[in-house]
Amino acid sequence: MPGRSRANGEGSIFPYRNGFAAYVWVEKPDGKRGRKWVYGKTREEVHDKWIKLHGQAKAGPVATRSPTVGEYAGYWLREIVKPNLAPGSYVTYEVVVRLYLVPGLGRKRLDKLRVSDVQTWINEVGRTCQCCAQGKDERRKPAQRRCCALGRCCRDLPSATSVTHLRTVLRTLLSHAITEGLITRNVASLVKLPPVRKRKRKAWTSDEARRFLESARADDDPLYAAYVLVLVLGLRKGEMLGLTWADVDLDAGELTIDRQLQRVGAELLHRETKTAASDATLPLPDICTVALDRRRAAQTTARDAAGPAWQPSELIFTTRYGRPVEPRNFNRFWDRRCDAAGVRRITVRDARRTCASLLADLDVHPRVAMQILRHAQFAITMEVYTVVSSAATRDALRRLGSALDR
């Protein structure tokens, strides 16, 4: 009796419709076994695919059905991004998927997605007015429409940075699809994009920073202490707005950073900081302790004036009724103070670079500045300009504080 030509589970090749078909028994990503089919016009074509499929089956799990990009993107957002990443990251990814990825590539099968498909999509997004594509002007009330809905295209084209971000999101999605065995290569990584020119951020001089703080102090600005913490300690906006009185020890002259206030969609979240490297306990120079003392007194006065309308809160920076300060509102207050002080407008984020520049102007060692700014990489600190002792850090902050407070 002749021996078997194939072992159990090896698969078969046979005529099918106008060509040939073959299958191989594979282990699916869920751990179950199933048939994976390949098709072709000739036996030789199918045989080549069949051999390749055998190699994939030996290498690991193989999906027997490939979802579309849109289907997989929904699963990826729901099961991978939302449970594991920060809420802000989820919102950012969801917007990219909903407004760009699904409309452009959503119907493509994940395993059939080609480099040319992604390249064409990216190029098309870059030259398409997003006001027209997303119906931004169309959603306004008829009396408020002013451009695309009236036939006057505003040419709201995405920036090169935005286009690069779209590619990054798709590349991240496809990387996870590779991990799950749905595809074998990341076509988004092969797409060509024009280089993005990095904007050189502006920073204040020591004199401008001093004028800004002196203006806020002279006007008894309720956010004076917030401005001091941003400029002297280089706190991020969310970290500063998320500070509670429990985070501050004025007697010991220390401040602990481990939470932030962040607006995510309709929610205002008081959550952990951006990264573990952002958490730190920093010494408070005199200018900070004095400013926080004034802030405590001002908050007590505001609470007494508000009476029953006061909303109990442990936050240091609140409105006159005890509510958290909205991050966007803080941006507006910052801009108004810039104008009142007669200094150039810079963003709150750029104020961190101002802090680094001030530290450099005062000849503070870059390693000390790195700890004050809580940069994860030394190279980031060196762009604007190891463990250090608390005494060295405290001395650096005292020198910076005295430069601003004189």
Side-chain angles (χ1 to χ4, degrees), residues 307-319:
W310 181 263
Q311 302 291 320
S313 173
E314 288 298 316
L315 293 173
I316 294 177
F317 301 107
T318 56
T319 67

Side-chain angles (χ1 to χ4, degrees), residues 167-236:
R167 195 267 300 270
T168 300
V169 173
L170 178 59
R171 185 173 58 195
T172 304
L173 181 151
L174 295 180
S175 293
H176 196 270
I178 292 175
T179 302
E180 295 189 340
L182 297 176
I183 54 177
T184 57
R185 69 169 183 161
N186 194 326
V187 294
S189 299
L190 305 175
V191 170
K192 300 295 183 182
L193 293 178
V196 177
R197 297 187 63 179
K198 191 174 182 180
R199 181 175 70 90
K200 189 173 182 179
R201 296 188 177 278
K202 299 174 290 184
W204 279 336
T205 63
S206 300
D207 182 63
E208 286 176 309
R210 181 165 54 250
R211 285 161 52 196
F212 179 87
L213 290 180
E214 286 175 348
S215 170
R217 183 171 51 192
D219 293 343
D220 202 20
D221 192 317
L223 292 174
Y224 167 68
Y227 303 148
V228 170
L229 295 180
V230 168
L231 283 169
V232 177
L233 296 184
L235 298 193
R236 297 179 177 92

